Amino acid sequence: MKKPQLISSILIVLFFSVYSATAQSKLTNDKSINSLIEKKREFNKQNKKGFRIQLYNGLERTAKSIQGRFRVEYPNVRTKLSYDSPEWKIQVGNYKTRLDADRALNKIREKFSGAIVVPL
């Protein structure tokens, strides 16, 4: 009595998994989605905006100290020290997407806990 129920359950699960897989493949072939993705890529190429990670915003001496410490910890990452009245900012990296910046931020926050992602 239990074998027919088990076999029918397996067949039902198999049917829905195959149906679900084919439904998902239909969505990725939609031309309107592909055209939107292409438009977004073109927009990003024209505007060339990105993200940086800001380590500090405040006094000049502290900003230069943090910049030196960062250069020792991460020698291959570009740093930028700027003055925006009345405070100094130390920003690092050049990231094309927010996702790239967030990935780097996770590593940087291990040693610089106050770091945040800022748009360019």
Side-chain angles (χ1 to χ4, degrees):
M1 203 70 175
K2 293 198 177 205
K3 274 190 174 179
Q5 290 175 346
L6 179 63
I7 292 173
S8 64
S9 298
I10 291 173
L11 288 175
I12 290 172
V13 169
L14 183 63
F15 171 75
F16 282 114
S17 63
V18 169
Y19 180 75
S20 169
T22 57
Q24 290 177 359
S25 67
K26 289 177 186 175
L27 290 177
T28 57
N29 293 333
D30 190 8
K31 291 180 183 178
S32 62
I33 292 174
N34 291 335
S35 70
L36 283 174
I37 291 171
E38 191 58 37
K39 285 180 184 178
K40 176 65 175 161
R41 285 183 182 151
E42 287 299 318
F43 175 81
N44 289 342
K45 284 180 186 177
Q46 291 173 359
N47 292 320
K48 294 195 179 190
K49 299 226 177 207
F51 297 89
R52 285 199 180 119
I53 296 173
Q54 184 168 301
L55 300 178
Y56 179 74
N57 183 24
L59 302 174
E60 178 182 10
R61 179 178 286 176
T62 308
K64 288 183 178 181
S65 170
I66 290 173
Q67 182 182 27
R69 219 175 85 210
F70 183 85
R71 284 182 175 168
V72 169
E73 295 289 335
Y74 303 95
N76 297 328
V77 179
R78 181 180 173 271
T79 63
K80 179 183 176 193
L81 180 66
S82 62
Y83 179 71
D84 188 15
S85 183
E87 297 177 331
W88 289 81
K89 295 179 182 183
I90 178 72
Q91 295 178 346
V92 298
N94 278 325
Y95 304 99
K96 290 183 179 180
T97 65
R98 177 71 189 230
L99 183 62
D100 292 337
D102 285 337
R103 285 182 185 145
L105 179 66
N106 288 335
K107 293 177 185 175
I108 290 172
R109 272 205 177 147
E110 294 172 3
K111 300 192 179 190
F112 298 90
S113 60
I116 58 170
V117 174
V118 294
L120 291 178

